[in-house]
Structures are given as C-alpha cells and as structure tokens.
Amino acid sequence: MTVSTPLPLPTTPLPATTFESPAVPRPLTTSAAPGAAGPVPLWPASARPLPSGGVAVGGVPLAEVADRFGTPAYVLDEDEVRARARAWRAALPGARIAYAGKAFLCRAMVRRIDEEGLDLDVCSAGELDLAVHAGFPAERIVLHGNAKSPDELRAALRLGVGRIVLDSAGEIARLAALVPAGTRQRVLIRVVPGVAAGAHAAVRTGVEGQKFGLPIAGGEAEDAVARVLGQPRLELVGLHCHLGSQITSTDPYAVAVRKLVELLARLRDRYGVTLPELDLGGGFGIAYRPGDPAMDPAAYADRVTTELALRCAHADLPVPRLTVEPGRWIAGPAGVALYRVLAVKTTAGRTFAAVDGGMSDNPRPALYGARYTVRLANRSSSAADRAVTVVGRHCEAGDVLAEDVPLPADLRPGDLLAVPAAGAYHLSMASAYNQVGRPPVAAVSGGRARLVVRRETSEDLRSRDVGE
C-alpha cells in the first residue's frame, strides 16, 4: 500500500475570519456558535492551507488524495476521530460512551473506537457482523432497531451482545423465547418521553406518533416494564430514549431527564424495581456552515449530570449510570468529501457547477434540505467569489449538493471541491443510483494516507445481478 510523503505545511490552524485579499489562499472557516466559548470547527483540526491555495488534512494535500484514489472520495482524519472520542470520555468519565455506528462504520473506524475505550451502538445484523469481524468485544455492543428480525436477535444472542434495546411490546416475548435456557439477556426499554427536538421533522424521535419506542404518556412504557419483569430470561437494566438528530441545545435533554426520572420513580413504587442504567441516546449537532451552532460535550455533561443528580435526589433514587451515543459528533467533522468539477454553466441567472458525485454519495440535501460549505481545494484564485450551486451527476433535478455557495468566478472543469463535515451519514446512506458505485474512504494521519474502504466498481454492481 502506498503512502504519501509529508509536506512542510503551516503549523497553525486556519483563522476563523476571511481574508479580504483574493490573492491570499482562502482560509478554512469556522462557525461561531451562539453562546459558545469559542468558534465551532467546520474542518478537522489538522486542516491547513497550502501555499498553492489548496488544502491539506492530516498532513496530506487533498489534491494528492484525489489524484491517488480518484473522485468522488471521502477523507477521514483519524486523529480527529480520536480527539472527538476523547472529548466525550473527558466530559463524562463515569458514563458509558457508545459510538453510534449508523453514522459511519468500517473496520478501521471500529478499531479506532475500540482503542479509545468506547462502546458501540449498532442497529442491524450487518453493522453487528462488521463490528464483530473487526474484533470489537460483543459485550460492549448495544443493539437497537424498531424491527429486529428473529435472525438478528439470534445473531445478537449467539455473539453475546451486551445489551438489546426493546422497541415494542411484541419484541419482548419474541426475544425471551430465543434466549437459551439457563441464561439471561440484559435489555433496556426504549421509551418516548414526549420531547420534540431535532433539525427536521423526519429525525424527531422523542415525540409520540412516530415509529420508535413506547410512549410514557398513556402508560405503554410502564406496561412494557411489567412484561419484561415477567420474563425470567430477560434482565431489565434500564431505560433508553433518543430525542432526535442535530440537537444543539442542552434544554431538551434536561427535560427528558426530568421525565425519565419521574418514570423511574413510578417503576420503583409500582414494581419495586430500581433500574441502574439510563441511556439518553445521542443526536448531538455539529456545524455544517459558518454560523451554525454545535453541541459542546462539557456543557452537555454539566447540564445533564446536574439535572440527573437533582431529580434523583428529589425522588430518593440512586443516580443511574448514564450512557450517551455520539455518532455524527465524532465522525462528521472528521470527514471531508472530494469532488471533481465536470461542467460549469450559467442559465436563468444561476451558475451551476456539476461534479462527479451527488445524491448517491450524499442524500442528505435531498432528504432533509441539509446545507453545506464548499471550498476550492486544488489551487488559489484571484477571482472574486460568486454564488454557485453545486449539483450532482444524477438524473434528478433535486440532485443538489450545495446551493448558492461562494466559489471563485473562474471555477472550471477539473477543479477539486472539498466539502467539510462529511464524515457522517454520507457513505452510510450512499446508494448505487444510476449504477454509480459508492466512493472510497481514505484515512489520513501524520502525513500519510491509506485506503480503508475501496471504491465500489461496476463489477461489484454486476455481481449482484444473477441474470435470468
């Protein structure tokens, strides 16, 4: 496997402000979050401008990554992954930190998470299989899912998954029937606290009327607890909830803590059981564009642990061990997506830059109206910026990656564009639409780059077609 040669790069991060002189390489921007102690990073901490006007991440020029591995491609800064995992461990040293694998998962990522001492949250047999084959200890895995198949439950039991989150009343008896005689499976019950949080209606999972969990309102959650307690092969160790995604305020979590502790007190009074664990899920927001807020682990830890201790003291309950599930927050800012410009045109007063990727490698703009930052990453330009809409190659008018972003007026075919905050929910949600293979992932660290996920080829796609 080839590696890149480290280049002499500036040793200080790029400033948060924008240079006025167009002859100076454009800096990597940061996002000043309202109320935050400092700027919120859009790029990995290792990102540096190059004298050529390009950008390096992890000591590797992005243009070099594009030349070696082709485009579109994802770049993953492994040191950024480690630093972000450590930020949560430092903020909540007594808690269980479970990386939410649905954000981005590959064997290299599994190993970094394991090395940093985090647990792992999976929500399918495929994610579980990948994790176990990468050597992750099954007892530190939490299995989620609102529609787990019997085969998935059997696999979890066979492999010794540490905790299974029960999502419906019917799943309780189904799982209990599969647990081998003489053993017990630790479980949590996913409850719906009735707290609305999240950047889009499609990802607000803490409220009634959506597919996940058992509502506290109406007594469904309490009834599920009674059912689990009646199953001798299931060991109920706690409650679980997940409020949504891209949450940047601690307020919804504090409200959820209050409602969950009230439920814990009712369970003690009604069933005589004191549950030792409380999993508050994840959903921690990151910055995608300048000005976006982001969740701060230290602020979250202070608010949630204080609220939890206070509510438990009022209810005369021991403080349960907390679990949180950061996924996007760890993987997102560690990733950069690279695209090659194929065409530039102006029509009806709008300028479009068509690139060699699109909604097959990032469906979030089409699904949620997500907005991104884009930067020219292969050269400097003295041209003034103009509003450019970066579009993909797919046969959909909605295949838009970034709308009206400032890019140099001399943008041309062959230029390299870099999109920060691309480490989460890109590859994991990618498809083969139009028979376009999914991009590779190149991990960078210390001036070296290596391939950790190869590009999906036409041969890969044909191999699934068994013919007539």
Side-chain angles (χ1 to χ4, degrees), residues 108-343:
M109 189 69 169
V110 169
R111 287 166 183 156
R112 299 299 87 77
I113 293 302
D114 186 17
E115 290 164 358
E116 294 303 323
L118 272 61
D119 286 11
L120 181 62
D121 158 23
V122 302
C123 56
S124 73
E127 292 178 356
L128 175 59
D129 179 77
L130 190 155
V132 171
H133 276 83
F136 198 90
E139 64 272 15
R140 284 169 40 210
I141 294 177
V142 181
L143 175 65
H144 287 274
N146 70 298
K148 306 179 200 71
S149 71
D151 285 344
E152 285 178 314
L153 293 174
R154 290 189 190 97
L157 294 169
R158 182 181 72 254
L159 295 170
V161 164
R163 282 154 182 78
I164 296 176
V165 179
L166 298 169
D167 195 89
S168 65
E171 193 173 52
I172 297 169
R174 187 179 309 123
L175 175 61
L178 296 173
V179 177
T183 65
R184 300 184 80 195
Q185 172 62 49
R186 291 188 179 94
V187 298
L188 298 96
I189 293 178
R190 179 164 179 170
V191 303
V192 180
V195 178
H200 190 279
V203 295
R204 292 173 191 153
T205 55
V207 293
E208 296 84 359
Q210 44 76 40
K211 70 177 188 177
F212 291 106
L214 294 151
I216 293 177
E220 292 180 54
E222 290 185 44
D223 292 343
V225 168
R227 294 190 184 201
V228 174
L229 295 176
Q231 297 286 352
R233 298 185 186 184
L234 301 181
E235 179 185 356
L236 180 61
V237 296
L239 301 178
H240 176 280
C241 80
H242 182 77
L243 302 182
S245 294
Q246 268 299 92
I247 304 170
T248 57
S249 169
T250 60
D251 292 345
Y253 296 100
V255 176
V257 165
R258 174 176 59 80
K259 294 192 174 188
L260 290 167
V261 172
E262 290 172 354
L263 176 57
L264 288 173
R266 289 198 300 273
L267 296 176
R268 176 200 57 195
D269 297 340
R270 182 174 178 182
Y271 301 117
V273 59
T274 300
L275 300 180
E277 298 180 16
L278 186 61
D279 189 331
L280 292 181
F284 310 120
I286 63 171
Y288 285 96
R289 297 185 299 162
D292 286 351
M295 181 62 72
D296 174 48
Y300 172 91
D302 181 66
R303 180 74 183 277
V304 167
T305 57
T306 299
E307 188 73 20
L308 183 59
L310 178 64
R311 297 296 173 178
C312 285
H314 285 172
D316 195 24
L317 283 170
V319 177
R321 186 183 185 189
L322 190 64
T323 297
V324 296
E325 300 171 354
R328 181 199 314 265
W329 200 94
I330 291 175
V336 178
L338 301 180
Y339 300 98
R340 192 73 69 181
V341 176
L342 300 179

Side-chain angles (χ1 to χ4, degrees), residues 60-79:
V60 182
L62 295 180
E64 180 180 325
V65 176
D67 289 342
R68 289 179 55 202
F69 302 116
T71 54
Y74 306 111
V75 179
L76 183 72
D77 185 332
E78 292 190 293
D79 294 330

Side-chain angles (χ1 to χ4, degrees), residues 382-410:
S382 60
D385 282 343
R386 64 176 173 180
V388 177
T389 295
V390 180
V391 298
R393 59 177 297 177
H394 299 286
C395 293
E396 299 284 345
D399 183 18
V400 177
L401 288 173
E403 192 167 3
D404 293 333
V405 293
L407 286 169
D410 64 352

